[in-house]
Amino acid sequence: MVSAQDRRWLAAAARLADLRARPLSRPNPGVGAIIVADGRVVARGWTQAGGRPHAEAIALAAAGTAARGATMYVSLEPCAHISARGPSCADLTAASGLARVVVGCGDPDPRTAGSGIARIRAAGITVDQADCPMAHQSLAGYLMQRTAGRPHVTLKLALSLDGCIAMASGESQWITGPEARAHTHLMRARSDAILVGGGTLRADAPRLDVRLPGLESQSPQRWVLTHGAVPEGWRALPAPDAIHGVMPHVQYLFVEGGAGAAAAFVAAGLVDRLLIYRAPIIIGGGRPGIADIGLSRLADAHGQWRFVRSQRLGNDGLEVYDRSPCSQASSPP
Amino acid sequence: MVSAQDRRWLAAAARLADLRARPLSRPNPGVGAIIVADGRVVARGWTQAGGRPHAEAIALAAAGTAARGATMYVSLEPCAHISARGPSCADLTAASGLARVVVGCGDPDPRTAGSGIARIRAAGITVDQADCPMAHQSLAGYLMQRTAGRPHVTLKLALSLDGCIAMASGESQWITGPEARAHTHLMRARSDAILVGGGTLRADAPRLDVRLPGLESQSPQRWVLTHGAVPEGWRALPAPDAIHGVMPHVQYLFVEGGAGAAAAFVAAGLVDRLLIYRAPIIIGGGRPGIADIGLSRLADAHGQWRFVRSQRLGNDGLEVYDRSPCSQASSPP
């Protein structure tokens, strides 16, 4: 039985992963673990930079003997496979003295997939599996790679009220204000790779790095959507579909435009999340943020996106939409 | 002295005007009055259909002897001029036995402008003047006519996430869902006149009436932005600037597009409020909601609009922006 309080602890473990492990845990999933005894946290852990140690190993080491009889909340099923870099978390957990483990999301990795939980249960520890939305969300990139062989894709657009990314003249600095731009840098720092279209690269030569104090080292891989040659430090992606397979260690891809790249990813059904930074300005007759996506009927545009949330960022708004679960799913080619 | 509690009563009187008097009070301002004794409402009133009786007359008649020693909160200064349709509210108030009157907004009508308050004070009644934002807002159309000789103008846009009002083919039904469209009908019912561009009239032949049960009779005047001939039941406006003078009894004008009319009003600096119904759809390469507004520098687009609020309407969002107080003011030509 998983109680409402259990779900709150799981959500806290997932948030720990989301805020502390992402994206430095790459190529491993960012996982969070919280050990609770008598309603109090006795230890926490999250996947460390480079992917090891794992969250459970950190939390169990921190708990020491306090783990005896306690409950561990972990966002992803503990791994069952032994690595050269350490023992499996299932074995560590089995030997921990814990009374109970609550798991937020099963691991689709065939080396674990259920055997992590089985090995812990075999040690006499109760294991409850919850289907925790926060855990799934915090593992979105990992799960997308495991189930679809591609990264989770966020399309970012910075638009005027009337949907423009620039004036007709091309002038585009700035649409949004400093708060929205700083937020974009934070989103970059949480991504493993960033992509722009060939036209944007040629026109703006964007640095696409992270310019937030303390996060400069988190600048992600840089990709450009092009069939042509690319400058040093950039990688070429010939088409959106090519994200299947060519970026196996990229859990989160952040597509920053321009209009052609945005349209190509939308048309290919390869955008999982939309981040729209909306400036309170009217440009009127400017350059649209999304080029032709080959829509043939207006009805087909509906039902694709689900509103998640909105917030203010200085004078601008941020709107977040996720691909609707009812929309056409994208599968590997 | 006007207390915080006084301001709350004034805001309630203004809301009464906004919800009950608008727009049926035309051509008179929609005013609300609340009479309070010992912290309790003893009577309420608002401007009746056609403009008479006034809010104060209704409230004082309802209060009867309960007005003695009470306080009346009224959103607009009581009128000082005697009409064939009844005595002035200042005279009625002076004879009411009220101890105090709190006024939310002075009346710029030269027949009243201060003399309403003076006449009440001359009867020994305390009069406090507050500068109540809700009162000003509930009188926006009246004040705009009095101070600028034109209606208050709301531009409504129903847009996709990427700022389109139609596909490239022209297909435009529907961008937004039923909740947003019903909300638009409510906004029409609160307006005195509606305007569309010539292209929209020719292409869509919109009815632009109010299709809400019980509100059908509130369908406003219909105007079209054109130099040409107009169908029966429509009036022609040759240019946005022509709203000065030609619609003296229109306090609230609702501009419904299309892209050319929207751009013309924005470019003329004649939009006071933006209502953007935002559907969670991407059209991509569709028809933009606002045509060229002659913007020469991106910096000039900033500082024009102030975010007021946003809300969800079914699957759609509604964003409200007001002209920024710092933006270039529009004055009579």
Side-chain angles (χ1 to χ4, degrees), chain A residues 161 167 174-175 278 302, chain B residues 161 167 174-175 278 298 302:
Chain A
L161 295 176
M167 291 176 52
W174 295 103
I175 302 288
R278 184 81 64 182
H302 287 276
Chain B
L161 296 176
M167 291 177 52
W174 294 104
I175 302 289
R278 184 80 65 183
L298 190 50
H302 287 274

Side-chain angles (χ1 to χ4, degrees), chain A residues 176-229:
Chain A
T176 51
E179 295 87 348
R181 300 207 302 275
H183 193 275
T184 296
H185 281 267
L186 181 60
M187 293 299 103
R188 285 180 189 164
R190 287 169 54 76
S191 302
D192 304 298
I194 299 186
L195 179 141
V196 294
T200 298
L201 181 64
R202 284 185 297 274
D204 295 351
R207 288 164 54 194
L208 293 187
D209 50 3
V210 173
R211 275 160 270 167
L212 294 175
L215 293 177
E216 299 88 345
S217 65
Q218 295 194 25
S219 291
Q221 289 180 13
R222 297 186 294 180
W223 290 76
V224 57
L225 187 67
T226 181
H227 287 94

Side-chain angles (χ1 to χ4, degrees), chain B residues 236-258:
Chain B
L237 188 79
D241 259 346
I243 60 171
H244 291 97
V246 305
M247 35 179 92
H249 298 320
V250 173
Q251 295 180 26
Y252 296 97
L253 173 64
F254 196 59
V255 177
E256 294 220 29

Side-chain angles (χ1 to χ4, degrees), chain A residues 58-70:
Chain A
I58 295 277
L60 287 169
T65 56
R68 292 187 189 285

Side-chain angles (χ1 to χ4, degrees), chain A residues 159 161 167 171-172 174-175 278 280-285 290-293 295-296 298 301-302 305 307 312 321, chain B residues 159 161 167 171-172 174-175 278 280-285 290-293 295-296 298 301-302 305 307 312 321:
Chain A
L159 301 176
L161 295 176
M167 291 176 52
E171 186 183 346
S172 66
W174 295 103
I175 302 288
R278 184 81 64 182
I281 65 171
I282 292 174
I283 292 181
I290 303 181
D292 188 6
I293 60 168
L295 189 68
S296 54
L298 190 50
H302 287 276
W305 302 103
F307 174 78
R312 305 302 302 169
Y321 298 86
Chain B
L159 301 176
L161 296 176
M167 291 177 52
E171 186 183 347
S172 67
W174 294 104
I175 302 289
R278 184 80 65 183
I281 65 171
I282 293 175
I283 292 182
I290 303 181
D292 189 6
I293 60 168
L295 188 69
S296 55
L298 190 50
H302 287 274
W305 302 101
F307 174 78
R312 304 302 301 169
Y321 298 86

